[in-house]
Amino acid sequence: MGKYMKYTIYVNLVICVLSAYMAYNLWDADRSRAYIFVFLAVITGFMFLFRRHYYKKFEERKKNNK
């Protein structure tokens, strides 16, 4: 379970980067769609940091219990 969780955290980072790229490309053409991608980039960036933080806490607790 730990290996799977370790790699799925980075899916959020990839989505964040792709959303920021799409927002940048759409900014001049369609500002309303660009705002959606900005929102998605912020949310997924936060989720990446949040999940990475708790994964590290989980691993530390697991290491201390052994």
Side-chain angles (χ1 to χ4, degrees):
M1 179 74 176
K3 275 189 173 181
Y4 175 74
M5 188 174 160
K6 180 179 178 181
Y7 296 117
T8 58
I9 293 171
Y10 292 100
V11 171
N12 284 324
L13 183 62
V14 170
I15 293 171
C16 177
V17 169
L18 290 175
S19 297
Y21 176 74
M22 287 297 295
Y24 178 76
N25 282 339
L26 290 172
W27 193 259
D28 289 330
D30 189 6
R31 184 107 5 138
S32 63
R33 282 186 63 200
Y35 284 134
I36 293 170
F37 283 109
V38 168
F39 177 73
L40 184 62
V42 168
I43 294 297
T44 55
F46 172 75
M47 286 303 296
F48 166 74
L49 294 174
F50 180 77
R51 291 181 71 196
R52 186 180 65 166
H53 171 73
Y54 276 98
Y55 176 75
K56 286 181 180 181
K57 282 178 81 171
F58 176 74
E59 287 296 314
E60 187 66 31
R61 185 179 303 149
K62 188 172 148 183
K63 188 180 358 173
N64 289 337
N65 286 337
K66 285 188 176 185

